């Protein structure tokens, strides 16, 4: 995609292959609620992908408006939340082809390292989403969760997808997954030396 090519040329980086694939497939584009399949992470209220044509402008906004040290840490925001938080690729922390994902809360000056790469971040986001109390019924939450799992089928390893779908099948809870269990699974499946480490992201 020309917009992603422009980002790479402007910043002198290689975007994660999975990120390019998701946009090439249209998998991150929000769809009508009745559409099948839904977009990746469609039902996460706190995940709003930044369109490819807006990536550089959003990065500049972080730098000039929010005083984020985007050049020092080689950050590129790729999604936001309704509260104004940002999810960024952290190229300064990259190891080979693995580019970590960091979370920048708008009301803090500390970045939280969420995952060692985008695939791990998607898996983590699904685990954390399963811990939220459903706004409607648990049955409706289960249906939405399974739809998101299906949207992720081409992009996650089979064993991870199987684990997520098994979470949706669980019964007799107030939510799909207890928070303590989610933390355990994150530690078990996503461990790497910098997981959950923090650093000051402001200038």
């Amino acid at each position: 995609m020309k917009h992603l090519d422009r980002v790479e040329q402007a910043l002198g980086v290689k975007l994660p292959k999975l990120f390019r694939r998701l946009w090439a497939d249209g998998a991150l584009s929000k769809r009508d609620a009745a559409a099948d399949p839904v977009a990746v992470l469609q039902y996460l209220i706190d995940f709003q992908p930044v369109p490819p044509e807006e990536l550089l402008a959003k990065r500049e906004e972080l730098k000039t408006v929010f005083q984020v040290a985007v050049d020092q840490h080689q950050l590129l925001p790729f999604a936001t939340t309704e509260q104004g938080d940002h999810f960024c690729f952290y190229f300064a922390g990259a190891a080979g082809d693995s580019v970590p994902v960091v979370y920048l809360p708008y009301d803090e000056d500390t970045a939280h390292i969420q995952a060692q790469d985008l695939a791990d971040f998607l898996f983590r986001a699904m685990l954390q989403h399963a811990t939220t109390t459903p706004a409607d019924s648990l049955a409706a939450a289960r249906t939405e969760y399974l739809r998101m799992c299906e949207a992720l089928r081409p992009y996650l390893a089979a064993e991870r997808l199987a684990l997520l779908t098994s979470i949706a099948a669980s019964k007799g809870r107030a939510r799909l997954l207890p928070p303590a269990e989610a933390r355990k699974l994150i530690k078990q499946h996503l461990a790497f030396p910098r997981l959950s480490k923090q650093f000051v992201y402001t200038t």
Side-chain angles (χ1 to χ4, degrees):
M1 296 177 64
K2 63 180 182 180
H3 295 296
L4 298 183
D5 291 341
R6 189 174 298 124
V7 170
E8 290 187 335
Q9 293 165 5
L11 303 182
V13 300
K14 282 291 184 183
L15 294 169
K17 292 179 181 179
L18 177 56
F19 184 66
R20 295 189 67 107
R21 183 183 172 194
L22 286 166
W23 277 113
D25 292 350
L28 286 171
S29 301
K30 288 288 184 179
R31 301 168 194 174
D32 181 272
D36 191 15
V38 298
V40 166
L41 305 186
Q42 171 91 18
Y43 296 109
L44 268 69
I45 296 175
D46 284 341
F47 184 82
Q48 301 171 355
V50 177
E53 64 272 19
E54 297 177 15
L55 287 169
L56 290 176
K58 179 61 71 174
R59 184 178 188 272
E60 186 64 20
E61 180 185 62
L62 278 186
K63 182 177 181 179
T64 58
V65 178
F66 296 96
Q67 306 301 307
V68 175
V70 293
D71 295 323
Q72 176 185 344
H73 300 298
Q74 298 179 51
L75 297 171
L76 177 67
F78 66 88
T80 63
T81 71
E82 287 189 342
Q83 289 73 35
D85 307 327
H86 293 81
F87 294 103
C88 300
F89 291 123
Y90 174 39
F91 288 98
D97 294 332
S98 295
V99 182
V101 172
V102 298
Y103 171 63
L104 275 57
Y106 84 96
D107 57 351
E108 299 179 20
D109 62 1
T110 303
H112 304 255
I113 299 178
Q114 297 271 291
Q116 68 176 338
D117 57 30
L118 183 57
D120 278 10
F121 170 75
L122 294 175
F123 183 63
R124 177 176 183 152
M126 289 292 287
L127 291 174
Q128 291 178 326
H129 181 61
T131 69
T132 59
T133 302
D136 193 357
S137 66
L138 189 60
R142 184 176 293 113
T143 297
E144 290 181 351
Y145 198 78
L146 285 172
R147 294 185 74 191
M148 284 198 293
C149 287
E150 190 59 32
L152 283 167
R153 184 172 297 280
Y155 311 111
L156 287 186
E159 62 271 16
R160 288 187 171 183
L161 192 66
L163 191 154
L164 294 177
T165 54
S166 71
I167 289 172
S170 301
K171 301 214 178 351
R173 297 170 171 167
R175 62 193 80 190
L176 296 178
L177 187 67
E181 182 65 19
R183 290 191 294 271
K184 178 181 176 182
L185 290 171
I186 288 170
K187 185 175 181 180
Q188 176 183 347
H189 292 275
L190 303 181
F192 79 111
R194 301 195 70 183
L195 181 65
S196 300
K197 300 296 184 182
Q198 302 177 14
F199 61 88
V200 175
Y201 68 75
T202 51
T203 55

